[in-house]
Amino acid sequence: RDDCLYDQVIWGLNLIDKTRPIICCEGIFDALFLDNSLAMLTSVKILRGYENSRVIYLLDNEPRNKEIVKIAENHANAGRTISILPEKYLEYGKDINDFVKKGIDVQQIQKDILLYSYSGPRAILEIHKWKKV
């Protein structure tokens, strides 16, 4: 079930501000770099109890990974907001930790995550374009 015990495996929940956009990452290292973020420790689960907050799901930037693409599509089909980073990020790696190791400015990454966040039909369209990269 979606709700069993997974609310227990969230890193950083006590550090977020519900009044601001919340970036929901897969891993702790990614969340450590970003402001107002947390780590779900899995890409499949959803953040419960934050319906009035703007939660942005940030999956690993792996458009050729069928499992990641499917998870992104599931989030989008459920009406959740997801971030699809621009193609230029593919040359730096698959996640925030990789981007930072390659010297990308954390503030720029944070801005891009917010700027390239989509929901509804636009999210489906962006996923479709992203998975063909």
Side-chain angles (χ1 to χ4, degrees), residues 60-74:
D60 284 348
N61 196 17
E62 297 182 275
R64 291 172 196 89
N65 182 323
K66 290 180 184 189
E67 183 179 334
I68 294 291
V69 170
K70 182 70 173 165
I71 293 165
E73 290 171 338
N74 288 342

Side-chain angles (χ1 to χ4, degrees), residues 115-131:
L115 183 63
Y116 296 99
S117 292
Y118 311 99
S119 60
R122 178 70 190 268
I124 302 294
L125 175 66
E126 294 300 326
I127 291 167
H128 185 72
K129 292 188 313 191
W130 173 69
K131 71 182 183 181

Side-chain angles (χ1 to χ4, degrees), residues 7-50:
D7 290 331
Q8 306 291 320
V9 243
I10 300 172
W11 179 89
L13 193 58
N14 60 325
L15 305 173
I16 61 169
D17 177 355
K18 285 185 175 184
T19 65
R20 297 178 35 232
I22 300 166
I23 300 171
C24 190
C25 303
E26 287 186 63
I28 294 172
F29 285 122
D30 298 330
L32 282 170
F33 291 111
L34 301 172
D35 185 42
N36 211 45
S37 65
L38 49 84
M40 292 291 284
L41 308 178
T42 175
S43 56
V44 180
K45 300 301 169 197
I46 61 170
L47 186 59
R48 297 193 181 288
Y50 290 79

